[in-house]
Structure formats: C-alpha cells, structure tokens
Amino acid sequence: MEELFICRCEEVTRQELEQAIADGAISMNELKRWTRAGMGLCQGKTCAKQVMALLAQKTAQSPAAVKPATTRNPVRPMQISYMTKEAE
Amino acid sequence: MEKQWDAIIIGGGIIGLACAYYLTDAGQSVLLLEKGDLGQGASTSCDDMIFLQSKKPGILLTIALESLEMYRRLEQDLPASIEFESRGGMVLIESESQMGHMQDFVRQQKALNLDVELLTKEQARKMAPLVSKHVLGSTYSPMDSQVNPLQVMRGFVKAAASKGLEIRRHCGVKALDNPAPYHWKVTADDGKVYESRFVINACGAWAAQVGELTGLELPIKPKRGQILVTESVPAFGQTNFWSADYIVMKLNPDFAKERSALMNDLGIGLSMSQAQSGNYFLGGTREFAGFDKTVDRTALHLILKEAVRFFPALEKVNIIRTFSGFRPAAADGKPFIGPVASQPGMYIAAGHEGDGIALAPITGYAISRMITGQPLPYDFSELSPARLGI
Ligand SMILES: Cc1cc2nc3c(=O)[nH]c(=O)nc-3n(C[C@H](O)[C@H](O)[C@H](O)COP(=O)(O)OP(=O)(O)OC[C@H]3O[C@@H](n4cnc5c(N)ncnc54)[C@H](O)[C@@H]3O)c2cc1C
Ligand code: FES
C-alpha cells in the first residue's frame, strides 16, 4: 500500500503517528517532538489540523480539548544573509 | 491504604526519564510526576551533542566517556533508534594564541584516553572543505557523538512503561512531607497525595524550587541558551564544529579581553551540529536571565555572524526556527547526583548545565544503583550534594 504522508514536509506517515501515540504521546507537543510532524519548512501550517484530529481520535479526547503545539519564531523561513543584514 | 511506590521521580525531562528507565530495569516500582508535558523543559530545547572535547580531565570527562558507552548500548537496547552517531567533532582555531592553549588542552585530554589530535590548516580543510580560509587549524576527535534527545526520551518512556512505570502529566509537585525516614508523601496538582520510600528531584533548572519544599537551598539557576535551526542542507563537513575562542576563554579567563563585551555578556560560543534530518543547530548563548524564554535579535545576529565567519556559504541557507532553553546551572559547575544526607530517601539528580543529554544514562544508572544499594563504577562523592553541605 502506498504510504500516506500526513506531514508532507517531514514525510511523516499516519502509521508513524499512530505508533508514537501507542508509545505514549498524548499531546501535540509530544507528538511533534517524537515524530517531527510539524517541524518542517511550513512549520505545521499544512499538517497540524490533521495531526490534531488523529490525536483526538486515538486518545478519545474531543478535538477542542487538544491544544496546538507551541510555535517557534520565525514563522516563515528566512535567509541568514537577510537576518545578519537586518540587524545592522 | 494508598499504594506505596519504591520511588517517585519529580520532573519528566531526560534526566527524570533516565532515572525511570534504570530504576524500573532494576525492578523498582516507579511513579513519575511532571508539571506539564514530558520534555517541556531544557531536554527538548537543546542541541544533541555528546561533546567530550570541552571537558577538563576529571570526574565529568570520566563519566561522560562512560555515558557515551552506555548510549552505544542503548541504541541496541531501546525499542527504537535514538539516532546515535559518532560523527566526530572539530574545534576551529583562528589565532596563534588559541592554538597554543588548545595544544596544551589536547595533551591533557589525551592522557585521559580521549582520542583527540590537532589538525593543520590543510588537514582541517580536507575534513571540512567549506570552512573559511582564515581558520588556522583545528582539533579533531572521532569520539564526539550525538543522539536525538527526543528519541532517547521516547525510548525511555516506552521501555520503562513496559516495566510498570506510571506517568502523571500536568501534575506538578507542590508539597513534600517526610513523616518518617524513607517515607515520603508527595502532594501534586491533581490534589492527590502519593507515597514512596524514595523521592528523586529531577527538575532541571526548577530543581531549587522543588528543593525549597523541604527547606533545601539548592544552588541551581537557569542559564538561558538561544539557538537557531536551519533548513535541511547537505553537510558542511564530516564532523560537528565548535569555535575555539569560547573554550579557550573557559580555560583561561584572561582571554576574554580578546572578545567583545557583548559576546562575553551573552556567553556566545559557536556550536554547529547537524541532526540526521539534515537541519543544522547553530548555537548559542549562555546567560542568566531568569525564566525568560524570549529570543533576542542581538544574540541571534551575533551567533549567525560567528557561523558565517567560519562557514561563509551559510549565508544562503534559511533559518526555520529559533528557540531558547534553560540549562540547569549549578553554582560550582557540576551536577548533583546523590542523596541528601539529612533527609533519608531524598535524592537530587539535577544541575547538568550544558551536558544533561550527554550525562543522562550515567546519571540514571548511578541513581538506580544508589537507591537499590548496589556498588557504583566510580566514586560519585565529588557530585554528591554533600560537597556543598547539602
Ligand atoms: C541551548 C541549549 C543547548 C544544549 N546543548 C546540549 C548538548 O549539546 N549536549 C548536552 O548534553 N546538553 C545540552 N544542553 C543541556 C541539556 O539540555 C540539559 O542539561 C538537560 O536537558 C537537563 O535535563 P533535565 O531533565 O535535568 O531538565 P529538564 O529537561 O528541564 O526537565 C525538568 C522537568 O521538570 C519539570 N518540573 C519542574 N518543576 C516541577 C514540579 N514542581 N513538579 C513536576 N515537574 C516539574 C519541568 O516541567 C521539566 O519538564 C543544552 C541546553 C540548552 C538550553
Ligand atoms: S506539512 Fe508538516 S511541517 Fe509542513
């Protein structure tokens, strides 16, 4: 069967996410740290919703109860040459 | 009556989880209480290095070498890969005076069986073709290694859970009572009181707050580190990298004069390590700023300037994340691993500053041996809280 990537940037499959939940991940932060889902170039913009839905379903939480992962700056990728100039 | 645990571990960072792994492995019943999510402290806001070359010969180098061997075994023993890799490390040297200091240092480390040598400019460029032409040479050790701390924690959780570890998240500890020797009552945020024979304070930078609950004054403070993460890129060389200037300054404080005051205030020393995913971690600062998580532009800018000075090709690379974390810094620079003599059953496993990832296995193992009354492979008295009268 073709693998189904839920996080395309980091190529994380549904199966890998389910395994991490089976290993004991119960929050978006834990799931992100254990599988890298949401750590890619888009920083979770594309995949976060689906990951949250899966986590809610597998841990029998209501989707509203699942807190999003903490985000880290910059929200968009930025070239180093630009960052070093900007500060001058 | 409520269940009585052999041990309650407070804090679910890499140190607490290492203790859980080795204690359950020794057949102890263990409960771990974490005030937030697992790894919400320093253990997920850090680099991934087991960096031996920065260590002065002494107990810390000795146990770091032991811990490295333990990681090698954990790569086999834990249920999934922890991405252990001995990629080696180079300390990049920019001036004749740095060269002199590093020569001395390398000689001392060799005496303690650390496999390390000095490379000429040409040899260094061979290992790291993209390094800037101004670099005069480097050290090289094939032993410097890395792991993925996130996978290490996941492995500890899974393996320990299969041996009965119980974990309560969002369950910070707010009171500790000690009605009798080796009898602890631990009150947590869920309003429950958990009982055990042993308590292990593995709260990293927050260890002093938990120490206060039993009147201990643990001299551990948060030392902030700011870091940037690049997109996934091809390697800039075979190894991970550090700049010599910070290491030399630690060995010889006089050297601080050769650096700008701002660099010294922020404690900046370049470290560059590449995760298996291809992302580089560019670090970092070492600052006392309380529990303030912000990252500031000045610091990030200085780190990037350092990085680009050593590797000009970095200019074209994208930064995708920045973050900061709190190293648990002990007053005398050494972690506390051992019992509190005046409070039978209370153990401290905290204060690892910039080496908590490297030292997690040996810390967990030592705590487990102490609690189960087994002999230890080394003399840990230098790391006992008793060294500072605690
Ligand atoms: C920028 C940076 C780079 C680093 N690079 C490296 C490196 O390359 N190699 C290396 O070896 N080390 C490195 N370190 C150091 C390493 O990250 C730390 O030494 C290590 O993570 C400390 O682990 P810990 O488990 O003691 O603390 P933490 O991971 O901080 O865990 C402590 C836990 O205790 C919990 N807690 C606090 N109070 C309570 C309470 N009352 N009740 C219950 N739980 C509580 C916290 O929520 C936290 O989860 C780096 C650190 C930083 C900041
Ligand atoms: S799709 Fe997951 S980080 Fe971009």
Side-chain angles (χ1 to χ4, degrees):
Chain A
M1 200 181 84
E2 198 180 298
E3 285 194 296
L4 179 63
F5 291 130
I6 288 196
C7 172
R8 271 176 278 162
C9 296
E10 291 290 327
E11 302 191 346
V12 184
T13 61
R14 167 179 287 268
Q15 199 206 338
E16 284 173 84
L17 288 164
E18 287 175 356
Q19 181 61 49
I21 296 168
D23 286 357
I26 59 164
S27 71
M28 283 294 281
N29 276 326
E30 287 172 7
L31 209 49
K32 174 169 155 182
R33 288 169 191 148
W34 290 8
T35 66
R36 303 190 55 77
M39 286 201 194
L41 258 187
C42 87
Q43 290 288 288
K45 281 206 191 62
T46 320
C47 61
K49 271 221 176 90
Q50 261 183 294
V51 178
M52 282 171 91
L54 181 70
L55 180 65
Q57 184 204 340
K58 295 283 166 191
T59 54
Q61 305 179 63
S62 82
V66 177
K67 279 208 232 89
T70 36
T71 52
R72 285 168 168 176
N73 289 325
V75 222
R76 284 216 179 88
M78 201 183 271
Q79 204 175 67
I80 291 182
S81 61
Y82 178 74
M83 290 177 79
T84 46
K85 267 191 214 92
E86 180 192 38
E88 253 150 27
Chain B
M1 202 183 97
E2 277 291 314
K3 165 164 186 167
Q4 208 194 32
W5 302 85
D6 290 324
I8 291 177
I9 298 170
I10 312 176
I14 198 162
I15 299 295
L17 290 170
C19 294
Y21 174 76
Y22 288 100
L23 278 164
T24 51
D25 199 48
Q28 301 289 294
S29 66
V30 182
L31 172 69
L32 186 144
L33 302 172
E34 161 58 53
K35 80 173 168 194
D37 287 336
L38 295 179
Q40 70 165 19
S43 305
T44 51
S45 302
C46 61
D47 287 328
D48 52 2
M49 291 172 290
I50 305 165
F51 183 31
L52 301 164
Q53 286 191 60
S54 62
K55 314 241 158 4
K56 281 191 202 169
I59 181 80
L60 290 182
L61 180 56
T62 306
I63 62 171
L65 284 164
E66 178 70 34
S67 219
L68 178 70
E69 290 311 312
M70 297 179 77
Y71 266 128
R72 238 184 265 286
R73 288 198 294 278
L74 286 169
E75 176 71 57
Q76 309 303 319
D77 294 349
L78 287 180
S81 171
I82 54 173
E83 299 174 19
F84 176 85
E85 207 184 325
S86 291
R87 195 177 290 162
M90 291 165 75
V91 177
L92 305 172
I93 298 169
E94 294 175 281
S95 70
E96 290 301 337
S97 63
Q98 286 177 6
M99 184 68 89
H101 285 291
M102 291 311 291
Q103 270 165 350
D104 266 2
F105 197 35
V106 163
R107 211 172 300 129
Q108 291 174 35
Q109 288 177 321
K110 270 186 138 144
L112 237 137
N113 289 335
L114 183 69
D115 184 355
V116 56
E117 59 183 310
L118 277 170
L119 301 186
T120 62
K121 185 168 187 160
E122 290 66 39
Q123 288 169 323
R125 284 187 67 78
K126 221 173 183 170
M127 296 202 77
L130 291 175
V131 80
S132 163
K133 295 205 169 64
H134 83 281
V135 169
L136 294 182
S138 78
T139 68
Y140 168 65
S141 169
M143 289 171 90
D144 286 322
S145 304
Q146 64 196 87
V147 287
N148 181 333
L150 314 181
Q151 297 305 326
V152 173
M153 286 191 275
R154 176 180 179 175
F156 282 153
V157 169
K158 191 175 183 189
S162 74
K163 292 187 176 166
L165 170 70
E166 284 198 36
I167 299 177
R168 305 267 188 283
R169 286 134 161 129
H170 300 283
C171 198
V173 167
K174 50 185 192 190
L176 283 162
D177 290 306
N178 185 202
Y182 300 101
H183 182 190
W184 290 88
K185 292 186 164 187
V186 182
T187 311
D189 284 337
D190 60 359
K192 295 204 178 109
V193 179
Y194 300 96
E195 300 194 25
S196 65
R197 293 194 297 128
F198 295 95
V199 168
I200 300 146
N201 176 350
C203 287
W206 297 267
Q209 296 172 5
V210 171
E212 268 175 30
L213 299 177
T214 59
L216 292 177
E217 283 180 33
L218 291 175
I220 297 176
K221 283 201 291 188
K223 203 186 245 188
R224 182 170 66 187
Q226 304 188 40
I227 283 205
L228 304 101
V229 186
T230 72
E231 62 187 313
S232 175
V233 289
F236 277 71
Q238 294 172 25
T239 69
N240 291 327
F241 306 101
W242 293 269
S243 64
D245 73 329
Y246 187 79
I247 295 173
V248 169
M249 187 182 73
K250 290 289 269 192
L251 297 171
N252 183 348
D254 266 359
F255 202 80
K257 292 198 287 278
E258 295 187 23
R259 294 164 35 109
S260 79
L262 197 52
M263 287 282 282
N264 289 334
D265 286 349
L266 291 166
I268 290 179
L270 179 70
S271 67
M272 246 178 95
S273 76
Q274 191 177 32
Q276 280 190 0
S277 52
N279 309 79
Y280 267 102
F281 287 78
L282 308 178
T285 62
R286 293 160 191 83
E287 335 146 60
F288 288 114
F291 286 102
D292 176 0
K293 263 226 143 193
T294 48
V295 288
D296 65 88
R297 278 180 184 216
T298 317
L300 298 181
H301 170 63
L302 285 171
I303 297 168
L304 288 178
K305 271 181 87 168
E306 287 284 293
V308 170
R309 195 172 81 235
F310 284 101
F311 292 96
L314 265 174
E315 269 207 330
K316 294 280 166 295
V317 170
N318 282 307
I319 294 298
I320 61 168
R321 282 202 298 278
T322 60
F323 63 85
S324 69
F326 302 119
R327 298 183 193 84
D332 61 353
K334 283 185 280 189
F336 294 100
I337 304 173
V340 174
S342 58
Q343 300 177 357
M346 173 64 72
Y347 280 71
I348 313 292
H352 296 70
E353 199 170 332
D355 292 317
I357 307 305
L359 299 178
I362 186 71
T363 302
Y365 179 74
I367 289 284
S368 165
R369 302 289 285 185
M370 289 174 193
I371 282 182
T372 55
Q374 305 290 314
L376 287 161
Y378 304 102
D379 178 9
F380 273 78
S381 55
E382 249 187 274
L383 303 180
S384 160
R387 70 175 189 264
L388 294 180
I390 295 161

